[in-house]
Amino acid sequence: MIASFGSRGVYAYDLDGGLKWKKSFGKFEMRLGFGEGTAPVLHGDVLILNFDHQGDDFIVALDKATGRELA
């Protein structure tokens, strides 16, 4: 199970509620305090996250099992 909370991070849990991994991408700059992004996309074993904010925008791909950033 994977939960994304924008600048608060991305967290992966097993089905017993144990934390498998977590990853933070720093604080985002929001215009007028509106939301921080979109839902993560899972494609096979790859978790894709789009971070669109007032700072430098980026897309990141993570291994869903480990949270390791993929090239």
Side-chain angles (χ1 to χ4, degrees):
M1 191 174 345
I2 297 173
S4 175
F5 298 101
S7 62
R8 305 254 192 243
V10 179
Y11 299 81
Y13 294 90
D14 60 29
L15 294 178
D16 294 320
L19 181 64
K20 292 174 62 177
W21 58 265
K22 64 182 178 179
K23 189 152 182 90
S24 176
F25 296 97
K27 184 157 178 62
F28 300 138
E29 299 173 32
M30 295 293 104
R31 181 175 179 183
L32 301 174
F34 289 104
E36 294 186 328
T38 61
V41 174
L42 188 58
H43 180 70
D45 291 332
V46 179
L47 179 67
I48 303 165
L49 299 143
N50 174 36
F51 294 101
D52 181 15
H53 64 117
Q54 294 297 304
D56 293 332
D57 304 325
F58 61 98
I59 295 174
V60 65
L62 304 175
D63 179 293
K64 79 171 187 179
T66 65
R68 182 178 60 85
E69 211 166 310
L70 303 173

